[in-house]
Each structure stands twice: as structure tokens, then as C-alpha cells.
Amino acid sequence: MAKKRMQDLVNIWKDKTITLQLKIKIMKTLVWTVMTYGAEGWTIKKKQEKKINSAEMWFYRRLLRISWRERRTDQSILEELNEERKLLNYIKKRKLTFLGHTCRSKCTLMKNILQGRMEGKRQRGRPRINYFDNIKSWTQRDIYDVILERDVWRQMVHETVRAANVLGSDAG
């Protein structure tokens, strides 16, 4: 759906009177919102991370009207736009803030579902990656104590996203 939205806005991307920075803001407002709809509930695996990063680069390429046949690297496109990869970090921030909000609420059913505390036997085989596995891998610490204190949780969310930005810029 996000790719369809990106293609629907082709007249904006072709318009030479609109600045590149404004085009990026339009893309983040109109396309990223479609792409990240419901992202708070996603369990993100490595394969999905790659797809999200690929989609972000596809958006940037469409914005610049660069064909895949031009064989340009992702880094050269990001340098031309003076941007960093931010879509995955945007999703992480939304997911972390949603988790803090729901765990501080009075609804115990939602907390139990998010934390994976459900009755019954576990299935055979290796356990699947769940919602909290994502959170633990991103924050690198036990969050159950911190999540109830709003100010401390917000600080940890900002630190986690900032660290992900630094790691992402080093890797890319």
C-alpha cells in the first residue's frame, strides 16, 4: 500500500519547483504513515528488518527518480539526500512508546498478551521470536522495572533510538 501511495505521488516527485527537503517531508508524512500503520504490534524479525530497509531505500530511489539499472549504492543515495536510514528506528520508537503506554495502563489483558503470559502448553521446537524479544534486543536490559516509571522509560526509549541511529550510520 505504501508503494502504491508512493507511485500515486509521482507528479510531486517529478515537479522541479518543489525542493528536495520538502519532497522528503511529504514522503515521510504521506508514505511512511501508510507503511508503519499498526507497527506498534509487529514482531520484527531479521527478514522484516531487511524488507523495511529495502522499502525505505526504494522510496528514496523513487523520490530521486533513480532506476535500479543505474547501479547506485544505497550509501550514495543517502549522501545525495543528506539523510540516514530512519524508518526502522521510527518503528522501534513507536513500538517502545506503545509498550510503555500499555504496560502502565490498568488493562491487565493487554499486558498479559504483550508479555506472552498465556495459559497452556508451549509448542514443540524452538520458541518463536515474540514481542518482548524485540524490546529486549533493542534496549539491552530488563525492562520490567523501568517501564512503570514514565520519565525513566522515556529516557531509555530516546537512548535506544539514539544508539540505533549511531549503529545504523556506522553499518551503512
Side-chain angles (χ1 to χ4, degrees):
M1 289 172 57
K3 284 188 174 186
K4 173 77 170 95
R5 174 68 61 95
M6 192 72 180
Q7 290 170 342
D8 290 344
L9 298 171
V10 73
N11 291 334
I12 293 174
W13 313 142
K14 287 182 179 180
D15 193 346
K16 296 187 188 283
T17 59
I18 300 174
T19 65
L20 195 57
Q21 294 304 317
L22 182 58
K23 288 180 185 180
I24 290 171
K25 286 183 181 180
I26 290 170
M27 180 191 65
K28 288 180 180 178
T29 304
L30 298 178
V31 179
W32 280 19
T33 53
V34 174
M35 173 79 179
T36 61
Y37 179 76
E40 295 89 0
W42 296 352
T43 298
I44 301 174
K45 301 174 184 166
K46 290 291 181 189
K47 188 175 183 179
Q48 282 87 6
E49 280 187 20
K50 285 183 179 180
K51 285 185 177 186
I52 291 167
N53 285 331
S54 298
E56 181 179 10
M57 289 312 300
W58 187 85
F59 296 150
Y60 288 143
R61 287 175 192 274
R62 291 292 292 192
L63 185 127
L64 291 173
R65 299 178 61 211
I66 296 172
S67 171
W68 63 271
R69 287 175 267 172
E70 291 182 34
R71 317 268 285 151
R72 298 244 334 252
T73 63
D74 291 348
Q75 192 62 37
S76 69
I77 291 168
L78 291 171
E79 286 173 3
E80 183 177 337
L81 291 171
N82 198 18
E83 283 284 318
E84 295 176 356
R85 289 189 183 198
K86 295 180 182 172
L87 184 57
L88 188 61
N89 294 331
Y90 175 70
I91 292 171
K92 287 178 182 180
K93 183 175 181 182
R94 283 182 60 174
K95 191 170 173 174
L96 288 168
T97 53
F98 175 74
L99 177 70
H101 174 72
T102 54
C103 285
R104 283 189 303 274
S105 75
K106 292 177 175 59
C107 179
T108 57
L109 177 64
M110 180 74 107
K111 284 188 243 183
N112 289 341
I113 291 171
L114 281 177
Q115 293 173 0
R117 296 180 183 164
M118 301 187 60
E119 294 180 15
K121 289 188 173 183
R122 187 178 74 76
Q123 294 180 349
R124 289 177 48 192
R126 185 172 80 187
R128 290 183 177 175
I129 293 175
N130 63 22
Y131 194 86
F132 267 87
D133 291 337
N134 280 156
I135 304 299
K136 286 177 187 175
S137 69
W138 295 337
T139 57
Q140 304 286 320
R141 55 178 108 160
D142 188 28
I143 58 167
Y144 294 106
D145 307 335
V146 180
I147 208 164
L148 296 176
E149 299 175 31
R150 187 170 191 264
D151 294 330
V152 177
W153 178 251
R154 288 180 83 194
Q155 182 65 32
M156 191 173 83
V157 168
H158 290 299
E159 288 172 8
T160 302
V161 173
R162 195 175 316 122
N165 282 337
V166 170
L167 289 175
S169 64
D170 290 345

mmCIF file of all heavy atoms in Angstrom, residues 109-138:
data_model
loop_
_atom_site.group_PDB
_atom_site.id
_atom_site.type_symbol
_atom_site.label_atom_id
_atom_site.label_comp_id
_atom_site.label_asym_id
_atom_site.label_seq_id
_atom_site.Cartn_x
_atom_site.Cartn_y
_atom_site.Cartn_z
ATOM 1 N N LEU A 109 -5.447 -7.559 30.611
ATOM 2 C CA LEU A 109 -5.486 -8.483 29.477
ATOM 3 C C LEU A 109 -4.442 -8.086 28.436
ATOM 4 O O LEU A 109 -3.699 -8.935 27.936
ATOM 5 C CB LEU A 109 -6.885 -8.509 28.857
ATOM 6 C CG LEU A 109 -7.037 -9.374 27.618
ATOM 7 C CD1 LEU A 109 -6.783 -10.840 27.974
ATOM 8 C CD2 LEU A 109 -8.402 -9.199 27.004
ATOM 9 N N MET A 110 -4.381 -6.808 28.119
ATOM 10 C CA MET A 110 -3.407 -6.323 27.133
ATOM 11 C C MET A 110 -1.980 -6.570 27.607
ATOM 12 O O MET A 110 -1.132 -7.006 26.831
ATOM 13 C CB MET A 110 -3.610 -4.834 26.879
ATOM 14 C CG MET A 110 -2.658 -4.257 25.870
ATOM 15 S SD MET A 110 -3.084 -4.773 24.229
ATOM 16 C CE MET A 110 -3.735 -3.262 23.614
ATOM 17 N N LYS A 111 -1.721 -6.334 28.883
ATOM 18 C CA LYS A 111 -0.384 -6.574 29.428
ATOM 19 C C LYS A 111 -0.012 -8.049 29.330
ATOM 20 O O LYS A 111 1.103 -8.394 28.940
ATOM 21 C CB LYS A 111 -0.312 -6.138 30.894
ATOM 22 C CG LYS A 111 -0.224 -4.651 31.103
ATOM 23 C CD LYS A 111 0.038 -4.356 32.558
ATOM 24 C CE LYS A 111 -1.115 -3.585 33.127
ATOM 25 N NZ LYS A 111 -0.934 -3.190 34.509
ATOM 26 N N ASN A 112 -0.936 -8.931 29.683
ATOM 27 C CA ASN A 112 -0.666 -10.366 29.628
ATOM 28 C C ASN A 112 -0.405 -10.835 28.205
ATOM 29 O O ASN A 112 0.471 -11.660 27.969
ATOM 30 C CB ASN A 112 -1.822 -11.160 30.229
ATOM 31 C CG ASN A 112 -1.896 -11.012 31.734
ATOM 32 O OD1 ASN A 112 -0.920 -10.617 32.363
ATOM 33 N ND2 ASN A 112 -3.046 -11.310 32.305
ATOM 34 N N ILE A 113 -1.157 -10.318 27.254
ATOM 35 C CA ILE A 113 -0.956 -10.705 25.854
ATOM 36 C C ILE A 113 0.399 -10.213 25.361
ATOM 37 O O ILE A 113 1.148 -10.956 24.718
ATOM 38 C CB ILE A 113 -2.103 -10.167 24.973
ATOM 39 C CG1 ILE A 113 -3.401 -10.913 25.304
ATOM 40 C CG2 ILE A 113 -1.768 -10.305 23.499
ATOM 41 C CD1 ILE A 113 -4.627 -10.325 24.670
ATOM 42 N N LEU A 114 0.737 -8.962 25.642
ATOM 43 C CA LEU A 114 2.014 -8.414 25.198
ATOM 44 C C LEU A 114 3.196 -9.135 25.832
ATOM 45 O O LEU A 114 4.217 -9.355 25.199
ATOM 46 C CB LEU A 114 2.111 -6.926 25.517
ATOM 47 C CG LEU A 114 1.379 -5.988 24.578
ATOM 48 C CD1 LEU A 114 1.505 -4.559 25.060
ATOM 49 C CD2 LEU A 114 1.887 -6.109 23.170
ATOM 50 N N GLN A 115 3.064 -9.504 27.093
ATOM 51 C CA GLN A 115 4.159 -10.156 27.793
ATOM 52 C C GLN A 115 4.214 -11.648 27.503
ATOM 53 O O GLN A 115 5.154 -12.323 27.905
ATOM 54 C CB GLN A 115 4.033 -9.913 29.295
ATOM 55 C CG GLN A 115 4.233 -8.454 29.658
ATOM 56 C CD GLN A 115 3.938 -8.166 31.120
ATOM 57 O OE1 GLN A 115 3.574 -9.051 31.874
ATOM 58 N NE2 GLN A 115 4.095 -6.913 31.508
ATOM 59 N N GLY A 116 3.226 -12.165 26.791
ATOM 60 C CA GLY A 116 3.234 -13.575 26.416
ATOM 61 C C GLY A 116 2.888 -14.503 27.556
ATOM 62 O O GLY A 116 3.235 -15.677 27.527
ATOM 63 N N ARG A 117 2.207 -14.016 28.543
ATOM 64 C CA ARG A 117 1.833 -14.827 29.696
ATOM 65 C C ARG A 117 0.433 -15.384 29.480
ATOM 66 O O ARG A 117 -0.546 -14.862 29.982
ATOM 67 C CB ARG A 117 1.870 -13.994 30.964
ATOM 68 C CG ARG A 117 3.254 -13.506 31.304
ATOM 69 C CD ARG A 117 3.237 -12.694 32.557
ATOM 70 N NE ARG A 117 4.567 -12.182 32.819
ATOM 71 C CZ ARG A 117 4.812 -11.211 33.659
ATOM 72 N NH1 ARG A 117 3.838 -10.646 34.319
ATOM 73 N NH2 ARG A 117 6.041 -10.800 33.854
ATOM 74 N N MET A 118 0.367 -16.447 28.722
ATOM 75 C CA MET A 118 -0.920 -17.052 28.434
ATOM 76 C C MET A 118 -0.931 -18.483 28.948
ATOM 77 O O MET A 118 0.105 -19.133 29.020
ATOM 78 C CB MET A 118 -1.192 -16.990 26.939
ATOM 79 C CG MET A 118 -1.200 -15.565 26.439
ATOM 80 S SD MET A 118 -1.690 -15.353 24.759
ATOM 81 C CE MET A 118 -3.300 -16.009 24.732
ATOM 82 N N GLU A 119 -2.106 -18.958 29.284
ATOM 83 C CA GLU A 119 -2.230 -20.301 29.809
ATOM 84 C C GLU A 119 -2.036 -21.320 28.698
ATOM 85 O O GLU A 119 -2.261 -21.034 27.527
ATOM 86 C CB GLU A 119 -3.606 -20.477 30.449
ATOM 87 C CG GLU A 119 -3.799 -19.617 31.681
ATOM 88 C CD GLU A 119 -5.168 -19.823 32.288
ATOM 89 O OE1 GLU A 119 -5.839 -20.817 31.942
ATOM 90 O OE2 GLU A 119 -5.572 -18.980 33.102
ATOM 91 N N GLY A 120 -1.642 -22.507 29.079
ATOM 92 C CA GLY A 120 -1.489 -23.584 28.113
ATOM 93 C C GLY A 120 -0.048 -24.018 27.996
ATOM 94 O O GLY A 120 0.853 -23.459 28.624
ATOM 95 N N LYS A 121 0.150 -25.039 27.187
ATOM 96 C CA LYS A 121 1.494 -25.576 26.995
ATOM 97 C C LYS A 121 2.191 -24.870 25.849
ATOM 98 O O LYS A 121 1.558 -24.417 24.896
ATOM 99 C CB LYS A 121 1.431 -27.074 26.678
ATOM 100 C CG LYS A 121 1.038 -27.927 27.855
ATOM 101 C CD LYS A 121 1.187 -29.380 27.495
ATOM 102 C CE LYS A 121 0.973 -30.263 28.705
ATOM 103 N NZ LYS A 121 1.193 -31.662 28.389
ATOM 104 N N ARG A 122 3.492 -24.842 25.955
ATOM 105 C CA ARG A 122 4.308 -24.273 24.893
ATOM 106 C C ARG A 122 4.406 -25.296 23.771
ATOM 107 O O ARG A 122 4.432 -26.499 23.995
ATOM 108 C CB ARG A 122 5.703 -23.970 25.454
ATOM 109 C CG ARG A 122 6.595 -23.224 24.493
ATOM 110 C CD ARG A 122 7.931 -22.916 25.118
ATOM 111 N NE ARG A 122 8.820 -24.046 25.247
ATOM 112 C CZ ARG A 122 9.502 -24.589 24.230
ATOM 113 N NH1 ARG A 122 9.363 -24.129 23.020
ATOM 114 N NH2 ARG A 122 10.315 -25.602 24.429
ATOM 115 N N GLN A 123 4.493 -24.799 22.522
ATOM 116 C CA GLN A 123 4.626 -25.695 21.376
ATOM 117 C C GLN A 123 6.009 -26.317 21.336
ATOM 118 O O GLN A 123 6.950 -25.809 21.932
ATOM 119 C CB GLN A 123 4.377 -24.924 20.085
ATOM 120 C CG GLN A 123 2.964 -24.434 19.943
ATOM 121 C CD GLN A 123 2.757 -23.667 18.647
ATOM 122 O OE1 GLN A 123 3.709 -23.341 17.959
ATOM 123 N NE2 GLN A 123 1.518 -23.397 18.318
ATOM 124 N N ARG A 124 6.110 -27.406 20.584
ATOM 125 C CA ARG A 124 7.398 -28.063 20.416
ATOM 126 C C ARG A 124 8.322 -27.199 19.566
ATOM 127 O O ARG A 124 7.889 -26.393 18.776
ATOM 128 C CB ARG A 124 7.202 -29.405 19.699
ATOM 129 C CG ARG A 124 6.541 -30.439 20.554
ATOM 130 C CD ARG A 124 6.299 -31.710 19.794
ATOM 131 N NE ARG A 124 7.482 -32.134 19.060
ATOM 132 C CZ ARG A 124 7.483 -33.080 18.144
ATOM 133 N NH1 ARG A 124 6.360 -33.675 17.819
ATOM 134 N NH2 ARG A 124 8.589 -33.422 17.538
ATOM 135 N N GLY A 125 9.621 -27.447 19.729
ATOM 136 C CA GLY A 125 10.610 -26.758 18.905
ATOM 137 C C GLY A 125 11.121 -25.478 19.532
ATOM 138 O O GLY A 125 10.818 -25.139 20.673
ATOM 139 N N ARG A 126 11.907 -24.777 18.738
ATOM 140 C CA ARG A 126 12.483 -23.525 19.223
ATOM 141 C C ARG A 126 11.381 -22.478 19.390
ATOM 142 O O ARG A 126 10.532 -22.333 18.507
ATOM 143 C CB ARG A 126 13.516 -23.025 18.223
ATOM 144 C CG ARG A 126 14.261 -21.800 18.705
ATOM 145 C CD ARG A 126 15.399 -21.452 17.801
ATOM 146 N NE ARG A 126 14.887 -20.748 16.636
ATOM 147 C CZ ARG A 126 15.624 -20.433 15.590
ATOM 148 N NH1 ARG A 126 16.886 -20.781 15.541
ATOM 149 N NH2 ARG A 126 15.109 -19.786 14.576
ATOM 150 N N PRO A 127 11.394 -21.744 20.488
ATOM 151 C CA PRO A 127 10.364 -20.722 20.684
ATOM 152 C C PRO A 127 10.470 -19.635 19.615
ATOM 153 O O PRO A 127 11.562 -19.246 19.206
ATOM 154 C CB PRO A 127 10.685 -20.143 22.058
ATOM 155 C CG PRO A 127 11.569 -21.114 22.719
ATOM 156 C CD PRO A 127 12.284 -21.857 21.641
ATOM 157 N N ARG A 128 9.334 -19.179 19.163
ATOM 158 C CA ARG A 128 9.311 -18.102 18.178
ATOM 159 C C ARG A 128 9.729 -16.797 18.827
ATOM 160 O O ARG A 128 9.576 -16.602 20.040
ATOM 161 C CB ARG A 128 7.903 -17.925 17.627
ATOM 162 C CG ARG A 128 7.447 -19.048 16.761
ATOM 163 C CD ARG A 128 6.086 -18.721 16.213
ATOM 164 N NE ARG A 128 5.655 -19.764 15.305
ATOM 165 C CZ ARG A 128 4.472 -19.797 14.753
ATOM 166 N NH1 ARG A 128 3.594 -18.856 15.011
ATOM 167 N NH2 ARG A 128 4.150 -20.766 13.930
ATOM 168 N N ILE A 129 10.225 -15.891 17.997
ATOM 169 C CA ILE A 129 10.553 -14.552 18.490
ATOM 170 C C ILE A 129 9.232 -13.866 18.823
ATOM 171 O O ILE A 129 8.312 -13.858 18.008
ATOM 172 C CB ILE A 129 11.323 -13.746 17.438
ATOM 173 C CG1 ILE A 129 12.696 -14.364 17.208
ATOM 174 C CG2 ILE A 129 11.457 -12.293 17.855
ATOM 175 C CD1 ILE A 129 13.480 -13.699 16.107
ATOM 176 N N ASN A 130 9.146 -13.308 20.016
ATOM 177 C CA ASN A 130 7.913 -12.631 20.397
ATOM 178 C C ASN A 130 8.165 -11.133 20.572
ATOM 179 O O ASN A 130 9.268 -10.641 20.367
ATOM 180 C CB ASN A 130 7.304 -13.264 21.652
ATOM 181 C CG ASN A 130 8.188 -13.138 22.867
ATOM 182 O OD1 ASN A 130 9.058 -12.272 22.931
ATOM 183 N ND2 ASN A 130 7.963 -13.991 23.839
ATOM 184 N N TYR A 131 7.118 -10.463 20.949
ATOM 185 C CA TYR A 131 7.142 -9.010 21.078
ATOM 186 C C TYR A 131 8.253 -8.545 22.025
ATOM 187 O O TYR A 131 9.018 -7.640 21.703
ATOM 188 C CB TYR A 131 5.776 -8.560 21.600
ATOM 189 C CG TYR A 131 5.497 -7.092 21.486
ATOM 190 C CD1 TYR A 131 4.967 -6.569 20.329
ATOM 191 C CD2 TYR A 131 5.745 -6.233 22.540
ATOM 192 C CE1 TYR A 131 4.686 -5.225 20.222
ATOM 193 C CE2 TYR A 131 5.477 -4.891 22.446
ATOM 194 C CZ TYR A 131 4.942 -4.396 21.278
ATOM 195 O OH TYR A 131 4.678 -3.056 21.175
ATOM 196 N N PHE A 132 8.358 -9.192 23.170
ATOM 197 C CA PHE A 132 9.337 -8.767 24.168
ATOM 198 C C PHE A 132 10.764 -9.116 23.776
ATOM 199 O O PHE A 132 11.700 -8.489 24.244
ATOM 200 C CB PHE A 132 8.996 -9.346 25.544
ATOM 201 C CG PHE A 132 8.168 -8.405 26.360
ATOM 202 C CD1 PHE A 132 6.794 -8.415 26.253
ATOM 203 C CD2 PHE A 132 8.758 -7.492 27.195
ATOM 204 C CE1 PHE A 132 6.034 -7.541 26.986
ATOM 205 C CE2 PHE A 132 8.007 -6.607 27.939
ATOM 206 C CZ PHE A 132 6.633 -6.628 27.830
ATOM 207 N N ASP A 133 10.950 -10.121 22.921
ATOM 208 C CA ASP A 133 12.301 -10.419 22.439
ATOM 209 C C ASP A 133 12.851 -9.240 21.642
ATOM 210 O O ASP A 133 14.034 -8.899 21.748
ATOM 211 C CB ASP A 133 12.310 -11.686 21.584
ATOM 212 C CG ASP A 133 12.050 -12.936 22.397
ATOM 213 O OD1 ASP A 133 12.288 -12.902 23.623
ATOM 214 O OD2 ASP A 133 11.609 -13.942 21.809
ATOM 215 N N ASN A 134 11.987 -8.606 20.823
ATOM 216 C CA ASN A 134 12.406 -7.402 20.105
ATOM 217 C C ASN A 134 12.814 -6.310 21.077
ATOM 218 O O ASN A 134 13.874 -5.693 20.933
ATOM 219 C CB ASN A 134 11.272 -6.857 19.239
ATOM 220 C CG ASN A 134 11.091 -7.574 17.935
ATOM 221 O OD1 ASN A 134 10.011 -7.547 17.392
ATOM 222 N ND2 ASN A 134 12.104 -8.214 17.403
ATOM 223 N N ILE A 135 11.983 -6.072 22.056
ATOM 224 C CA ILE A 135 12.230 -4.993 23.008
ATOM 225 C C ILE A 135 13.534 -5.240 23.773
ATOM 226 O O ILE A 135 14.353 -4.336 23.926
ATOM 227 C CB ILE A 135 11.048 -4.856 23.998
ATOM 228 C CG1 ILE A 135 9.718 -4.652 23.270
ATOM 229 C CG2 ILE A 135 11.310 -3.755 25.001
ATOM 230 C CD1 ILE A 135 9.619 -3.416 22.423
ATOM 231 N N LYS A 136 13.736 -6.473 24.243
ATOM 232 C CA LYS A 136 14.953 -6.794 24.993
ATOM 233 C C LYS A 136 16.203 -6.644 24.131
ATOM 234 O O LYS A 136 17.231 -6.167 24.594
ATOM 235 C CB LYS A 136 14.876 -8.214 25.552
ATOM 236 C CG LYS A 136 13.938 -8.351 26.719
ATOM 237 C CD LYS A 136 13.852 -9.788 27.177
ATOM 238 C CE LYS A 136 12.784 -9.959 28.234
ATOM 239 N NZ LYS A 136 12.597 -11.359 28.610
ATOM 240 N N SER A 137 16.124 -7.045 22.860
ATOM 241 C CA SER A 137 17.302 -6.923 21.995
ATOM 242 C C SER A 137 17.610 -5.459 21.680
ATOM 243 O O SER A 137 18.770 -5.095 21.508
ATOM 244 C CB SER A 137 17.106 -7.719 20.710
ATOM 245 O OG SER A 137 16.126 -7.127 19.893
ATOM 246 N N TRP A 138 16.604 -4.618 21.615
ATOM 247 C CA TRP A 138 16.833 -3.208 21.318
ATOM 248 C C TRP A 138 17.335 -2.451 22.536
ATOM 249 O O TRP A 138 18.201 -1.590 22.423
ATOM 250 C CB TRP A 138 15.555 -2.539 20.815
ATOM 251 C CG TRP A 138 15.072 -3.073 19.511
ATOM 252 C CD1 TRP A 138 15.806 -3.721 18.554
ATOM 253 C CD2 TRP A 138 13.743 -3.020 19.016
ATOM 254 N NE1 TRP A 138 15.000 -4.070 17.505
ATOM 255 C CE2 TRP A 138 13.738 -3.651 17.754
ATOM 256 C CE3 TRP A 138 12.550 -2.507 19.501
ATOM 257 C CZ2 TRP A 138 12.589 -3.769 16.984
ATOM 258 C CZ3 TRP A 138 11.420 -2.627 18.727
ATOM 259 C CH2 TRP A 138 11.442 -3.252 17.487
#
